[in-house]
Amino acid sequence: MIEQRRHVIDLDDFSATEIEEILETAESMREVLGREIKQVPALRGKTVVNMFFEESTRTRISFELAARALSANVVAFTARGSSVEKGESLVDTVRTLQALGADIIVMRHSQSGAPYLVARHFRGSLINAGDGRHAHPTQALLDLYTMRSRFGQIRGLKVVIVGDILHSRVVRSNLWGLTRLGAHVTLCGPPTLIGPAAFWTATWPQLRIAHELDPLLPDADVVMALRLQKERMQSGLLPALREYTRIYGLTAERLARLPAHAIVMHPGPMNEGIEIFPEVATASPSVIEEQVTNGVAVRMALLYRMAG
């Protein structure tokens, strides 16, 4: 077994072996969740604080269920109604939680890099649950786990990620994990939502960049649609939502062009009728609900490994 990790801020410093070990541990946790009593005493006596400065449904509840399944004490922290509204700094808030006995902090923050600041001032462990446009490592791990469950391995898979690439923290963490495990990744979207190809290939030289979705579909194993943030249209990055949907939306017609074995993914929340249509989100190739379910097992695996 590899050395225990103290913090999980992104996947950029994870080796392929470490990622594989986490996915193996998640498989064991999935077995726990299949029992009649979905709980083990692995984190009994530990306190996990869910520290969310952004609204969240899937990630927050998933972490809470994961911690409770491991018998941890779970505390929910939100900025609204806390001393943060009175001007308390992020560092002071973390020191307060530390003094109250927090062992693990799960943090989501709107500012990229905020978890690095917290990690420097917290004696326990930190898991990044999403920071600005930077990273969302646990979403990437559950995506990898979902692909691995369907295909047996990641190496060699042809993965197309389509949508608002430039502003997505999910994309960045997925790129680290997918490329490290040997997948072939293509980023697809309008030029205004991808940016210069050199921006991406400087870090991931094996990436492909495409601006047309339809030619990619017949050869894809995985198509992952990203939430289109509607404010991008208002900021001039898109001419109209209807035009975006016409070229990049996952419709039933596009679903029919995929190979029979291909799967459709979405990290959520979805804008149905824009980047993905309802009949596609619920069709048999869709593993979107599996992603949500798998998120609990993957987050259990991380909490278990970090708590030693």
Side-chain angles (χ1 to χ4, degrees), residues 47-189:
T47 298
V48 177
V49 178
N50 281 342
M51 189 177 180
F52 279 63
F53 291 89
E54 279 186 340
E55 296 298 325
S56 170
T57 301
R58 293 162 185 77
T59 304
R60 179 178 56 81
I61 293 176
S62 179
F63 265 113
E64 184 168 333
L65 290 172
R68 291 189 188 282
L70 294 169
S71 302
N73 302 314
V74 184
V75 178
F77 172 97
T78 58
R80 187 175 301 170
S82 73
S83 296
V84 172
E85 290 193 334
K86 300 176 184 178
E88 184 175 72
S89 72
L90 179 59
V91 171
D92 285 341
T93 299
V94 169
R95 285 174 174 157
T96 298
L97 295 174
Q98 183 170 269
L100 290 171
D103 297 296
I104 300 174
I105 289 178
V106 177
M107 189 177 83
R108 170 169 286 192
H109 203 284
S110 60
Q111 295 297 317
S112 299
Y116 291 99
L117 175 65
V118 170
R120 287 202 299 268
H121 296 274
F122 182 54
R123 290 194 296 269
S125 294
L126 173 78
I127 300 178
N128 180 11
D131 64 318
R133 300 178 184 177
H134 171 243
H136 198 344
T138 62
Q139 178 66 48
L141 287 169
L142 74 88
D143 291 341
L144 292 169
Y145 179 78
T146 303
M147 293 180 210
R148 188 173 179 264
S149 297
R150 279 301 181 103
F151 296 104
Q153 63 176 11
I154 304 298
R155 181 166 300 279
L157 289 181
K158 295 175 181 176
V159 181
V160 176
I161 305 178
V162 57
D164 188 357
I165 305 293
L166 188 62
H167 305 97
S168 174
R169 57 191 171 203
V170 172
V171 165
R172 287 164 172 79
S173 292
N174 258 303
L175 285 177
W176 287 116
L178 286 167
T179 56
R180 202 141 285 168
L181 293 185
H184 306 294
V185 186
T186 301
L187 303 181
C188 180

